[in-house]
Amino acid sequence: MTAQAGTATTPAPQRIALLVFPGIRAFDVSVATEVWGADRRDRGVPPFELRRAAADPAAPVPLTGGLTLTPDRPLGWLHDLTPADLVVVPGVEDPDTDVPAPVLDALRRAHADGVPVAALCAGAFVLARAGLLDGRRAVTHWRLAATLAARHPRTAVEPEALYIEDTGVWTSAGTAAGIDLCLHLVRTAHGAETAAAIARSMVTAPFRTGTQAQFIERPTPRADRDGDALAAVRAHALAHLDAPHTVASLAARAGMSARSFARHFRATTGTTPARWLTAQRVAAAQKLLERTDHPLPEVARRAGFGSEVTMRQHFAAHLATSPRDYRAAFRHPAGSSPIAR
């Protein structure tokens, strides 16, 4: 049915295909279901259509721990006349899991049709078997990174990142990094405020950059004391993003040398001070673009970029878009979004 002239139409929900087959991890299924399967329209989150696609939609799929999952769509749902908008591949419990040939074929067809594909944890091995990681960068759980690289030498495995995208193919590290990737995919499609609203519902951090390390050094009593000082510095930087922070100025506030500060900062956060600060400024600019009508130069100033040109460069590098296009896609009219209140 078509809308009458002059009548506003409601955008169709984003269609998420969760690929299911024996051997997938129940945790990853739960993550995808929690992110895209819950109704949060009362909090301003758009509805999603999450479907569980399997080779035989009539056969329950066994999971570990005595659980079973009931599919509700055939594999053709990934690439039919109205294809899915995103395919999510849960991690497998064992990298040697026998993946059915129809599943691999469906992945290849969906990707060939331009559908983004995202694999959580050891789901990277499934993408690799389908040939989707050939010539691409990828990541998996740090304990499996060497195995993935050895079995699939045409894949450029990056062992430290939390999640990576390469020409429409996403991969993530283990467990919590799958949550990070799913929230990032929401952020990419629907904006920072929508992702933050889902994160608040899940009581999890709304934003970790994909370049952050998978794990940090084991804390020691000394590191704990340094961590308190670094936490205070990060809080100060967040409260004054418009200030021209440097590693030296932040180190002085922590009472450390610049070299010691940088080393302890990475040990406690998994990233460098410069990368952390840039990521926070991008996130702040996203919120300003979504919530306010400030001109772009003012957004750049408040977020700490100093100039619109610098902000535009960082948006291109981190979000593959421009501030102007980001605002056009995700701007909430003043007072219209429960998320922004």
Side-chain angles (χ1 to χ4, degrees):
M1 179 181 296
T2 59
Q4 295 180 353
T7 302
T9 59
T10 301
Q14 185 183 16
R15 293 158 55 96
I16 314 296
L18 181 63
L19 198 59
V20 298
F21 52 91
I24 57 175
R25 283 164 37 96
F27 179 86
D28 294 340
V29 170
S30 298
V31 167
T33 303
E34 182 65 25
V35 171
W36 287 292
D39 186 349
R40 299 184 176 95
R41 283 175 290 181
D42 61 331
R43 279 153 280 180
V45 176
F48 304 106
E49 184 179 359
L50 176 68
R51 298 296 183 183
R52 298 170 293 277
D56 183 357
V61 175
L63 307 177
T64 55
L67 303 174
T68 59
L69 179 67
T70 303
D72 55 12
R73 289 293 185 276
L75 291 174
W77 198 75
L78 276 64
H79 47 72
D80 278 341
L81 293 178
T82 307
D85 299 305
L86 172 68
V87 175
V88 178
V89 182
V92 290
E93 293 286 356
D94 182 350
D96 294 321
T97 295
D98 185 22
V99 182
V103 171
L104 299 178
D105 290 340
L107 276 171
R108 296 185 191 104
R109 288 189 59 183
H111 180 259
D113 290 343
V115 179
V117 177
L120 311 186
C121 195
F125 286 84
V126 179
L127 298 191
R129 290 186 195 179
L132 300 189
L133 297 186
D134 289 352
R136 289 188 169 89
R137 298 159 57 241
V139 66
T140 189
H141 191 288
W142 61 270
R143 293 185 62 183
L144 299 172
T147 303
L148 181 63
R151 293 185 182 179
H152 302 280
R154 296 185 62 189
T155 301
V157 180
E158 300 195 7
E160 291 194 355
L162 289 180
Y163 52 85
I164 286 176
E165 185 270 343
D166 193 333
T167 56
V169 177
W170 294 86
T171 50
S172 79
T175 313
I179 300 175
D180 294 321
L181 174 56
C182 291
L183 289 174
H184 180 75
L185 292 169
V186 171
R187 187 182 305 109
T188 301
H190 300 282
E193 287 292 275
T194 295
I198 294 175
R200 283 194 295 271
S201 295
M202 296 174 64
V203 196
T204 189
F207 181 68
R208 288 202 298 172
T209 61
T211 55
Q212 186 169 324
Q214 289 194 31
F215 59 91
I216 61 177
E217 297 175 12
R218 184 181 299 276
T220 64
R222 169 72 192 202
D224 289 343
R225 292 195 296 272
D226 291 339
D228 290 340
L230 296 177
V233 169
R234 292 196 300 271
H236 171 80
L238 286 173
H240 303 87
L241 280 176
D242 57 336
H245 302 296
T246 64
V247 173
S249 67
L250 295 174
R253 177 168 287 275
M256 302 179 185
S257 69
R259 184 174 180 178
S260 178
F261 174 81
R263 183 174 69 254
H264 287 296
F265 194 98
R266 178 156 194 137
T268 55
T269 67
T271 190
T272 66
R275 287 179 177 174
W276 178 85
L277 190 58
T278 297
Q280 302 309 316
R281 283 174 166 159
V282 169
Q286 287 178 278
K287 291 180 181 179
L288 287 167
L289 291 168
E290 292 181 27
R291 294 179 178 182
T292 75
D293 292 320
H294 296 320
L296 295 185
E298 178 64 10
V299 171
R301 185 193 70 77
R302 293 190 179 209
F305 288 117
S307 72
E308 182 182 346
V309 171
T310 301
M311 179 173 69
R312 188 162 58 245
Q313 291 171 342
H314 284 296
F315 263 62
H318 287 258
L319 304 175
T321 189
S322 70
R324 192 177 304 277
D325 288 344
Y326 184 90
R327 169 172 273 172
F330 300 120
R331 170 79 176 102
H332 295 292
S336 69
S337 174
I339 298 175
R341 291 200 287 269

